[in-house]
Amino acid sequence: MGALIIPSEYGYVLAVATLSVLHLVTLTIKVGKARKAANVPYPYAYAEQSQAEKDPLKHIFNCAQRAHQNSLEIFPIYSTLLLIGGLKYPCISSAAGLVFLAGRAVYASNYSTGKVEKRTRGGFYAAGLAALLGTTSLTIYHLLMN
């Protein structure tokens, strides 16, 4: 098997990974502000449906919370692909990571307005994720075949 050499451009991958963490922190802050505005107490993760249907602030909180939760759900997949694919293809993986992050930012921003149908505008994040799957697959192939 061939040796694994981490290219100096892997710093771009690490920078995008750090930017990803900042994105999640931003979503956390947004949820906290929406929680306070809607007066949804801890430990409740969401406002009850009946409350959200009557109070637009509670509906917006639920949307912000869901956008954040969905981002947390996909983050391990994205991070794994970014970090592995970046070992052999750091520039492509970094660019794909930025596309993913931009799509997720648009998704979360639009979802957090309370207009649920607007969340799909960030769907282009999937192109970044697909590219990361490609770079990861090729990295694994090269590691196993050399």
Side-chain angles (χ1 to χ4, degrees), residues 10 12-14 16-17 20 73-98 100-101 125-141 143:
Y10 196 73
Y12 295 128
V13 174
L14 297 178
V16 172
S20 303
E73 291 164 2
I74 200 166
F75 191 75
I77 296 165
Y78 156 75
S79 298
T80 300
L81 296 176
L82 175 67
L83 296 173
I84 294 172
L87 289 170
K88 180 122 178 95
Y89 303 97
C91 294
I92 295 170
S93 294
S94 297
L98 290 174
F100 174 87
L101 282 178
Y125 79 87
L129 199 61
L132 289 171
L133 181 59
T135 58
T136 296
S137 298
L138 289 172
T139 297
I140 292 168
Y141 173 80
L143 284 171

Side-chain angles (χ1 to χ4, degrees), residues 1-140:
M1 284 196 217
L4 177 63
I5 299 171
I6 298 175
S8 60
E9 293 86 2
Y10 196 73
Y12 295 128
V13 174
L14 297 178
V16 172
T18 303
L19 188 61
S20 303
V21 171
L22 295 175
H23 170 67
L24 291 178
V25 169
T26 301
L27 294 179
T28 301
I29 292 167
K30 184 178 272 193
V31 168
K33 288 180 179 179
R35 176 184 292 281
K36 186 175 181 179
N39 198 29
V40 176
Y42 288 104
Y44 302 105
Y46 294 94
E48 293 291 327
Q49 181 178 354
S50 61
Q51 295 174 327
E53 288 172 348
K54 294 175 189 170
D55 184 344
L57 291 177
K58 285 183 173 34
H59 175 72
I60 288 171
F61 165 71
N62 282 356
C63 290
Q65 179 75 311
R66 184 64 200 126
H68 183 230
Q69 183 64 40
N70 183 262
S71 296
L72 291 173
E73 291 164 2
I74 200 166
F75 191 75
I77 296 165
Y78 156 75
S79 298
T80 300
L81 296 176
L82 175 67
L83 296 173
I84 294 172
L87 289 170
K88 180 122 178 95
Y89 303 97
C91 294
I92 295 170
S93 294
S94 297
L98 290 174
V99 169
F100 174 87
L101 282 178
R104 295 306 298 180
V106 169
Y107 164 86
S109 177
N110 282 310
Y111 203 164
S112 297
T113 65
K115 296 178 180 162
V116 177
E117 65 280 356
K118 289 175 63 176
R119 75 189 187 286
T120 59
R121 294 179 185 170
F124 65 89
Y125 79 87
L129 199 61
L132 289 171
L133 181 59
T135 58
T136 296
S137 298
L138 289 172
T139 297
I140 292 168

